[in-house]
Amino acid sequence: MESIKVGLLGLGVVGGGTWKVLARNAQEIARRAGRTIEVTRVAVRDVAKARMLLGDTVAVGADPYAVVTDPSIEIVVELIGGETLARELVLQAIANGKHVVTANKALLAKHGSEIFEAASARGVIVAFEAAVAGGIPIIKAMREGLTANRIEWVAGIINGTTNFILSEMRARGLPFETVLAEAQKLGYAEADPTFDIEGVDAAHKLTLLASLAFGIPVQFEKAYIEGISKLAAEDIKLAERLGYRIKLLGITKRRPQGIELRVHPALVPIKSMLANVEGAMNAVLVKGDAVGQTLYYGKGAGEEPTASAVVADLVDVTRLLTSDPEHRVPHLAFQPDAMADTPILSIDDVITSYYLRLTVADQPGVLADLTRLLADSGISIGSMIQQPTETASESASTSVSTSANSNASASVHSADLIFLTHEALERNVNKAIAAIEALPFVRSRVTRLRMESLA
Ligand code: NDP
Ligand code: HSE
């Protein structure tokens, strides 16, 4: 049978990996797909650099539109990244009747509805396994493997760069900037690494997972996003002492009032599976009503792990080419006319447990006042520790790399309090924090971190 012709947009970390994996495993892949998958055209900016990897066997140019308009090409693989040009190219490829494979979570989280609608209308597939959790086949698992289940929640570590940064800082005591530079060198970070650090990349991926889990439209703009840049080294250490590890989590949960959709650092019990996911590894926990909890673990970023997902999509599309478009697996797991309009909840409506740290004047009555205030706000304390003040919390670092700032004179008169609460409504916790910060004996802002047991 004739080979299937593929056009590749981008030959960077993921594009280069895709080329290498396709070349190395060509025979094995053809045996699985039923046809040879052949990249016949590539678009990059630096053509000379691309030639060094590709040799003379493939047409290479700097015009990506030449790929999406080439009549011989059946599948376009978009690995350029970004939203503007990528959106135009993907929509044009679809309009030209080409199937699309993309790793671009930013594009799909923001323009997914438009793109999937256009693809369904034209009868083509948009496959995006590589867009979430790199090499882990989480899209396939949620769209097909778990299709019997009413999904209750999905939670995971879905950004390799931030997990790598947190792991290396904790285990090797390396400064934030050093580890970030290393993540960039290894090809984990986004073109704009603030997407990783500020939780935006994880929110792109979580938005897609929420759609697959609950059959809701992609709604990136409603996600609550908090990254790791304001995390203080002191809290990472304290969490460890208390039996927790801090991870950047993406959580989406079905509640009677709507759906939680949130990315933020969270304390997870040190013995939990997620706490032990280190480096650039990703892990996604999915709770279904029939299957219970399932865990998906693997490399979430990097050249060949991501290429593994891109090539899996290429094989999937090749196998489905002759299938009736009406009977293919829907892009977002649910039939397009069966999508739900369940609201996304505000972060104020989230219910979870909290870690609260503050510095107070070490004088009689302080604890009594604080515990009364928390109780009046409907917040129950699970445990509490008091320790002599080690740092000037008022100057809590804006970067995890900032070293502890010891303040000997303050430590004479101050104490640090750490409260671990039972589950509480975030709105109530915020109100309590505002009231606490107004108390005369409170000498710092309250550091508030969420805690997730994922039981
Ligand atoms: P890179 O920056 O490494 O590669 C981008 C590629 O696109 C380069 O080859 C670049 O060409 C090419 N390119 C950019 N703009 C143009 C243009 N205007 N015309 C033609 N070619 C262009 O990015 P990655 O491979 O890391 O990421 C690609 C996509 O995959 C992104 O959407 C990213 O979010 C996603 N992704 C990345 C992962 C990773 O681990 N890196 C993991 C999962 C998803 P040139 O080299 O000549 O400049
Ligand atoms: N920048 C992303 C990460 C790449 O670090 O997880 C994989 O999507």
Side-chain angles (χ1 to χ4, degrees), residues 103-412:
N104 195 334
K105 52 268 172 166
L107 174 72
L108 295 180
K110 289 227 182 135
H111 305 289
S113 298
E114 179 190 23
I115 288 169
F116 295 132
E117 218 170 277
S120 298
R122 194 66 176 80
V124 296
I125 303 163
V126 175
F128 56 100
E129 186 64 70
V132 182
I136 305 174
I138 185 67
I139 306 287
K140 188 97 173 163
M142 287 184 63
R143 197 160 51 185
E144 298 174 46
L146 298 178
T147 204
N149 288 265
R150 180 176 159 88
I151 307 283
E152 292 171 12
W153 53 259
V154 182
I157 295 168
I158 46 179
N159 182 267
T161 302
T162 43
N163 203 52
F164 181 73
I165 291 172
L166 292 175
S167 305
E168 292 289 287
M169 285 178 63
R170 189 186 53 77
R172 294 168 59 202
L174 293 173
F176 182 91
E177 288 77 13
T178 308
V179 192
L180 172 61
E182 179 74 5
Q184 287 177 297
K185 211 171 87 194
L186 291 166
Y188 303 152
E190 294 302 300
D192 176 355
T194 57
F195 272 38
D196 297 295
I197 294 155
E198 298 303 347
V200 177
D201 176 73
H204 288 148
K205 294 165 182 166
L206 187 70
T207 299
L208 295 169
L209 291 178
S211 292
L212 292 164
F214 308 121
I216 53 170
V218 283
Q219 297 166 79
F220 170 71
E221 69 289 352
K222 296 196 182 146
Y224 173 80
I225 311 174
E226 199 181 300
I228 63 166
S229 66
K230 296 200 171 64
L231 208 51
E234 187 184 355
D235 292 310
I236 298 176
K237 272 195 250 154
L238 270 168
E240 198 84 8
R241 268 181 50 198
L242 293 164
Y244 294 86
R245 203 159 272 169
I246 299 183
K247 295 286 181 186
L248 183 73
L249 294 188
I251 299 169
T252 184
K253 197 182 280 185
R254 198 196 286 271
R255 295 245 316 274
Q257 307 83 345
I259 286 164
E260 293 183 7
L261 186 64
R262 51 190 169 105
V263 170
H264 52 74
L267 277 76
V268 289
I270 238 160
K271 287 191 178 146
S272 67
M273 289 185 282
L274 287 187
N276 293 286
V277 174
E278 296 285 49
M281 302 304 276
N282 279 193
V284 185
L285 274 167
V286 184
K287 171 86 190 296
D289 66 339
V291 72
Q293 276 194 28
T294 54
L295 174 70
Y296 307 85
Y297 171 82
K299 289 187 178 160
E303 195 179 25
E304 293 208 3
T306 314
S308 165
V310 172
V311 175
D313 275 348
L314 279 169
V315 171
D316 237 12
V317 174
T318 304
R319 287 172 175 157
L320 291 169
L321 276 181
T322 51
S323 69
D324 167 11
E326 293 291 309
H327 296 104
R328 288 182 188 142
V329 180
H331 290 111
L332 290 173
F334 290 74
Q335 297 298 337
D337 59 2
M339 297 299 267
D341 58 1
T342 320
I344 304 292
L345 296 176
S346 146
I347 190 68
D348 279 347
D349 295 319
V350 160
I351 295 175
T352 190
S353 307
Y354 294 85
Y355 160 107
L356 307 173
R357 175 174 62 80
L358 66 156
T359 305
V360 294
D362 197 357
Q363 65 190 38
V366 164
L367 264 183
D369 285 356
L370 286 171
T371 50
R372 193 175 316 112
L373 193 151
L374 288 169
D376 289 348
S377 307
I379 300 162
S380 164
I381 299 166
S383 57
M384 201 270 318
I385 56 172
Q386 175 172 343
Q387 61 173 26
T389 298
E390 284 174 13
T391 63
S393 299
E394 293 89 336
S395 63
S397 60
T398 51
S399 155
V400 188
S401 65
T402 308
S403 61
N405 171 14
S406 75
N407 183 334
S409 68
S411 69
V412 176

Side-chain angles (χ1 to χ4, degrees), residues 8 11 14-24 39 53-54 57-58:
L8 199 52
L11 197 71
V14 185
T18 299
W19 170 264
K20 287 181 207 165
V21 171
L22 276 174
R24 190 173 68 235
V39 176
L53 179 64
L54 302 172
T57 49
V58 183

